[in-house]
Amino acid sequence: MKKTVVLFALIIASLIVFSFKRSKAVNDYSGYYYEKINKLNKEQLSLVESIKSNDINDPLNKNKIKQEINKARRALKGVDFWLRYLEPISYKQINGPLPVEWETEVFEKFEKPYKRLGGGLTLSTLYLDEDKIEKDTLLKLIQQSITAINVFEQDSITATLKNFDHFYLCNRLFLLNLATIYTTGFECPETEQVIPELKWMLNEVSKINNYFNMAFPNQALNENYLTKFELMIQFVKSQPKDFELFDHYSFIKEHVNPLFSINQQHIRDLKVVSKSYIDYSLNKNANSIFSKHLYHGQNAKGLFIRVVDPLVLAEIDKLGKLLFYDPILSGNNLRSCSSCHKPTEFFTDTLATGSLQFNRSNLLQRNTPSLVNASFNHLLMHDGFHISMQNQAKAVITNSIEMGGNEKDILKKILSCKDYKTAFKKLLEYTPQEKEITFDHIASALSLYYNKFSSFYSPFDRDMNNSDKISANAKKGFNIYMSKAQCATCHFAPQFNGVKPPYVGSEFEVLGVPKDETYKALSSDRGRYEINPAFETMNAFRTGTIRNAMKTKPYMHNGVFDSMEKVIDFYNDGGGAGHGLKVDNQTLSADSLHLNDDEKKLLIEFISTLTESVEFELPPQKLPVSNNKKLNNRKVNGEY
C-alpha cells in the first residue's frame, strides 16, 4: 500500500512538472509575441514625440523622422508574421499600402464594396515625400497604427496563441508573402530598405519558430524545415542589399517554395483547423505556390458543383463545348461564344480592339478578355461587375449589344433540340436544387467547358516545380519584373494577376490608359466607377493576368496597345500621368522606371515563359438538330 502511495505521488509530481514546463513554454511563445508588440508600440510612441517636437518641413528633421519610421518598420517586421494573419483589417491601419481601398472579398462579394482606410508606416513615409505636409496629418497616420496595435492584445486575438493551429496558418501566409510582396517594394516605399527589412524579418521569424517548437513539441516544425529555413537566411545574407540586384528567382525556387511544401504537409498531417476567413480560398492540398490548385477563385461547375464522377463531368464538358460553338445562344442565331472568344487565340480576339457588336456595325467598347485562367479571379470583367462565371455567361448572352438573346427564348430553342434536351434531363439528378432544366444549367455547362483550359502550366511554372528549365535571360527578366520594373507590385504570383495572398479579393488599379496612342486624351471608360462610384475608382480596372500575354494582344481594357513593347513603354514612362494626362487618382507612379532597352527585352523574355501549353480542341463538326427547321441552318462558330 505504501509503495502504491509513493508511486502515485511520483506520477502526480511528474505531471505537475510536465504541466509547469508546458505552461512555461507556451508563455515563452506568447510572451515573445507580447514583447514584439510592445517593441513596436514603443518605437511608434517615440516616433510621435519626434514628430511633435520637430519642424517636419525642415529637410534635416524630415530625414530624422524617416529614420525613426524605419526603426518602427523594423519593429513591425518582428511581429508581422502574426499580425498580418490574425487581424488583416487592423493590420492595414499599421501598414496600409493605400489611404483608401474599396474591397469586395470572395465571401462577401454579394454585398456592395466597402471602404477600408489605411494608415501607419508605409503611408507616413509616402506622405513625407509630398511637397506640402502637415504635422497633424502625419501624426494621425501614426496614431491610427498605435490604436490598431491595441486590437492585437485583446483576448479574442491572443487566445489563438494557445493552440498550435494558428502558427501553421500564419506561416503559410508568411511564405506566400515572401514569394509575392516582401521583396518587391509593394509596401516599402524606400526600396533601399526592402532587403535589409527582409533580413531582419527572417531572423525574427527564426526565433518565432524556435519559441513555437518549445511551446508545442508534439506539433513542432520538423528538422528539415528548420534546416531549410536557416539556409534561406544564409542565402539572403549573401545577397546584395540592392533589391534590384537581389536574386528573386533563386530565393523563391530554391528556398520559399520548398518551405511552403513542407508547411502544407504539416497542415495536413497535423489536421490544422482554421476559423479565419483568411484561409477561405487557399487549398491545403497544393504542394507548390505554382500549383493551379493553390487557391479557388470561382466555382466553374456552377449548378454541377456536386458532380465528381469523371464520366458525368465528361458529359457536361461535351455539352458545354457544343453550346460554346452554337449560335443558338444568340438572338439572331448567327453569333456564338466562340465568335468573340476564339479558342485558338487563348479564348480572346487578337485581331480587334473590340469585337463587333450585335448590330454588326460598331465595335464593343472594351477588349475581349481571355477566358483562360478567368476562374482565378474573384470578380470578372474589366470592371469587376460579375461575381460568378455563370452570371458573366448569362449577362453576355442576354446583352443587347453582345449576343442579343433572352433567357426564355434561348431555353425554348435549346429544348427544341433533342440532343440538348436529353442530355440536360439526364443531368437533372445532379442538380437537386433545380427540378427542371433552367438557363443556369446552360451557363454552368459553358463555364465548366471553358474552364478546363485554365489547368495547363507554363515553362516558368514547370521550372519552379523542378520539371523544366527556363533560360538565364528569362531568370534575369523575372528579377527585373520583381524589382526595378515594379510589375510584381500589382501582378502577383502565382497567377500574375491582381489577386494577392491570401487570395480572397481582386485588386483594381488606375493607370491612366489613353484613348489612343497620341496620349491627347484619357480613355472615356470610367471602369470600376460605374459599379462603385468613388474618387478612388474613377478609371480603375481589374488587374488582369500576365499569363499568356504574349498571345493575347491587343492590351489594356480598350485594346489601345498592339504590342508588349508598347505596354512596357507605357509603364516605363509613368502611365497616363507620366505622359502628361490629368489623372488625379492614378495608383501607378508617374515617375519613370528608367528601364533600358536590354532590360525591356529581358522582361519580355520572362513574360514569354508564362505562355501556357494549352491543348486546344477542334470545333464540333456539327450542331444538334432542332424540331424547328428554321434553326437548322445555323453554323458552327456562327457567322460573325
Side-chain angles (χ1 to χ4, degrees):
M1 178 67 180
K2 187 176 181 181
K3 288 182 179 180
T4 302
V5 172
V6 171
L7 180 61
F8 181 73
L10 286 172
I11 292 172
I12 294 298
S14 65
L15 287 172
I16 291 172
V17 170
F18 175 80
S19 177
F20 174 75
K21 287 182 177 178
R22 163 78 175 182
S23 177
K24 185 178 185 302
V26 172
N27 287 338
D28 284 346
Y29 175 68
S30 56
Y32 192 65
Y33 170 86
Y34 285 116
E35 177 186 328
K36 293 288 128 181
I37 291 282
N38 291 334
K39 174 67 174 174
L40 174 58
N41 205 31
K42 181 180 177 181
E43 292 293 351
Q44 292 198 123
L45 289 172
S46 174
L47 173 60
V48 167
E49 291 305 313
S50 182
I51 294 170
K52 286 181 177 179
S53 59
N54 286 285
D55 175 8
I56 63 173
N57 284 290
D58 179 88
L60 290 177
N61 288 335
K62 185 180 290 190
N63 186 56
K64 177 184 175 183
I65 291 169
K66 278 192 175 182
Q67 291 176 6
E68 293 270 0
I69 291 175
N70 287 336
K71 284 178 64 179
R73 287 186 62 87
R74 288 284 182 93
L76 171 62
K77 293 302 176 182
V79 73
D80 197 275
F81 176 90
W82 287 298
L83 303 195
R84 191 183 292 269
Y85 176 84
L86 294 178
E87 223 305 299
I89 295 174
S90 295
Y91 182 85
K92 289 187 177 183
Q93 297 288 303
I94 298 172
N95 197 33
L98 291 171
V100 175
E101 288 186 88
W102 288 94
E103 299 186 2
T104 307
E105 291 171 334
V106 57
F107 41 85
E108 295 177 324
K109 57 187 181 180
F110 288 94
E111 300 178 7
K112 290 182 179 180
Y114 51 93
K115 190 175 185 178
R116 293 289 188 213
L117 296 178
L121 303 176
T122 292
L123 292 172
S124 297
T125 304
L126 291 170
Y127 184 66
L128 278 173
D129 288 333
E130 293 185 13
D131 294 332
K132 295 181 180 180
I133 57 177
E134 297 179 0
K135 187 173 290 190
D136 286 347
T137 302
L138 185 59
L139 285 171
K140 182 181 178 181
L141 289 170
I142 302 301
Q143 190 56 55
Q144 284 176 256
S145 179
I146 293 171
T147 301
I149 289 173
N150 296 329
V151 173
F152 293 95
E153 295 182 308
Q154 294 177 6
D155 290 343
S156 58
I157 299 293
T158 58
T160 308
L161 304 176
K162 296 177 182 178
N163 299 310
F164 75 91
D165 303 77
H166 79 281
F167 174 85
Y168 287 101
L169 301 171
C170 287
N171 199 38
R172 177 167 63 181
L173 182 59
F174 165 71
L175 292 168
L176 289 170
N177 283 327
L178 281 179
T180 54
I181 67 169
Y182 283 139
T183 67
T184 66
F186 172 77
E187 54 186 18
C188 184
E190 297 184 306
T191 55
E192 65 270 18
Q193 296 296 326
V194 170
I195 304 306
E197 282 187 5
L198 175 66
K199 292 177 180 179
W200 178 270
M201 180 167 59
L202 292 180
N203 284 325
E204 292 300 303
V205 173
S206 179
K207 295 174 187 176
I208 293 172
N209 292 342
N210 292 330
Y211 277 116
F212 173 78
N213 275 10
M214 287 189 291
F216 300 96
N218 295 329
Q219 296 87 21
L221 288 163
N222 62 32
E223 285 301 318
N224 187 27
Y225 184 94
L226 295 176
T227 300
K228 287 184 180 297
F229 195 90
E230 291 307 311
L231 287 173
M232 178 169 66
I233 290 177
Q234 294 308 312
F235 170 83
V236 174
K237 285 182 178 179
S238 72
Q239 289 289 299
K241 290 183 179 180
D242 187 343
F243 95 130
E244 291 184 13
L245 301 177
F246 184 80
D247 188 354
H248 301 261
Y249 168 84
S250 297
F251 176 63
I252 295 170
K253 179 180 179 178
E254 297 172 12
H255 300 283
V256 181
N257 204 29
L259 287 170
F260 177 81
S261 179
I262 298 171
N263 191 71
Q264 288 287 83
Q265 189 64 52
H266 276 307
I267 287 174
R268 294 192 296 269
D269 291 345
L270 296 171
K271 295 180 173 55
V272 170
V273 176
S274 170
K275 296 180 181 178
S276 171
Y277 72 82
I278 282 289
D279 306 297
Y280 187 95
S281 294
L282 287 163
N283 178 10
K284 67 180 179 182
N285 294 314
N287 289 320
S288 168
I289 294 170
F290 297 91
S291 165
K292 282 296 186 84
H293 305 290
L294 177 66
Y295 72 90
H296 307 289
Q298 290 282 334
N299 162 29
K301 294 180 179 179
L303 288 182
F304 302 113
I305 191 170
R306 295 179 177 85
V307 180
V308 294
D309 186 333
L311 294 177
V312 179
L313 290 172
E315 287 298 313
I316 302 170
D317 171 74
K318 181 181 178 182
L319 186 57
K321 178 177 179 177
L322 283 171
L323 289 165
F324 193 84
Y325 286 91
D326 197 337
I328 200 170
L329 295 182
S330 65
N332 58 9
N333 306 308
L334 299 175
R335 179 164 237 201
S336 69
C337 300
S338 60
S339 296
C340 298
H341 298 279
K342 297 176 171 60
T344 55
E345 296 176 22
F346 286 81
F347 289 86
T348 184
D349 187 349
T350 62
L351 299 178
T353 58
S355 297
L356 275 175
Q357 291 189 19
F358 187 70
N359 62 16
R360 293 196 187 198
S361 300
N362 307 107
L363 294 180
L364 293 169
Q365 183 182 19
R366 294 176 182 169
N367 179 236
T368 302
S370 171
L371 298 180
V372 178
N373 297 317
S375 59
F376 296 109
N377 295 289
H378 295 298
L379 299 174
L380 302 167
M381 306 300 283
H382 292 295
D383 57 14
F385 181 78
H386 295 298
I387 63 175
S388 77
M389 296 167 74
Q390 295 75 38
N391 283 355
Q392 179 189 25
K394 290 191 293 183
V396 171
I397 291 169
T398 59
N399 190 309
S400 61
I401 66 170
E402 293 186 77
M403 292 183 72
N406 69 72
E407 293 189 17
K408 185 178 178 181
D409 289 344
I410 288 170
L411 189 59
K412 182 179 179 181
K413 288 190 292 182
I414 290 291
L415 295 180
S416 75
C417 301
K418 182 180 178 181
D419 289 351
Y420 281 142
K421 187 174 183 178
T422 301
F424 276 122
K425 273 195 170 183
K426 185 179 177 181
L427 293 170
L428 277 177
E429 65 176 292
Y430 301 101
T431 59
Q433 68 275 43
E434 297 287 349
K435 304 301 181 183
E436 297 180 352
I437 299 169
T438 67
F439 200 61
D440 285 314
H441 285 97
I442 296 169
S444 298
L446 283 168
S447 60
L448 184 142
Y449 163 69
Y450 73 73
N451 183 64
K452 71 180 178 183
F453 299 101
S454 300
S455 62
F456 295 91
Y457 288 88
S458 69
F460 183 80
D461 299 320
R462 293 193 292 271
D463 183 290
M464 282 289 165
N465 294 326
N466 298 307
S467 61
D468 200 351
K469 289 185 178 180
I470 59 173
S471 69
N473 280 343
K475 295 174 187 177
K476 291 178 182 177
F478 176 72
N479 287 335
I480 293 169
Y481 176 97
M482 294 291 285
S483 58
K484 185 177 181 180
Q486 298 182 20
C487 310
T489 61
C490 294
H491 298 271
F492 309 100
Q495 287 303 317
F496 299 98
N497 60 6
V499 185
K500 70 177 186 295
Y503 306 110
V504 294
S506 296
E507 293 203 340
F508 296 80
E509 301 290 341
V510 180
L511 307 174
V513 176
K515 178 181 179 181
D516 54 45
E517 291 187 45
T518 66
Y519 285 96
K520 292 181 179 179
L522 192 66
S523 166
S524 60
D525 192 332
R526 300 194 293 181
R528 186 66 175 164
Y529 185 89
E530 299 291 353
I531 314 303
N532 177 43
F535 170 77
E536 295 80 13
T537 63
M538 177 63 75
N539 305 118
F541 294 90
R542 180 177 58 79
T543 303
T545 181
I546 296 179
R547 285 180 176 272
N548 306 311
M550 298 305 295
K551 301 289 185 179
T552 54
K553 66 176 186 181
Y555 306 106
M556 317 312 279
H557 69 271
N558 57 353
V560 65
F561 302 126
D562 60 7
S563 74
M564 185 56 67
E565 287 79 4
K566 291 178 181 178
V567 173
I568 291 174
D569 285 340
F570 169 76
Y571 283 103
N572 190 45
D573 295 336
H579 281 88
L581 295 174
K582 183 175 174 56
V583 195
D584 294 333
N585 63 335
Q586 183 168 303
T587 54
L588 175 71
S589 172
D591 297 331
S592 172
L593 298 171
H594 302 292
L595 295 172
N596 60 42
D597 289 342
D598 287 340
E599 289 169 330
K600 293 175 186 178
K601 289 177 183 176
L602 290 170
L603 195 55
I604 288 176
E605 186 145 355
F606 159 64
I607 293 172
S608 296
T609 70
L610 292 177
T611 300
E612 297 171 346
S613 305
V614 180
E615 296 175 6
F616 297 110
E617 300 175 344
L618 292 173
Q621 292 185 339
K622 59 181 181 179
L623 299 170
V625 176
S626 169
N627 59 27
N628 180 350
K629 293 182 180 181
K630 292 181 180 179
L631 294 175
N632 292 330
N633 293 322
R634 65 192 197 279
K635 299 176 181 178
V636 174
N637 269 325
E639 297 182 22
Y640 72 102

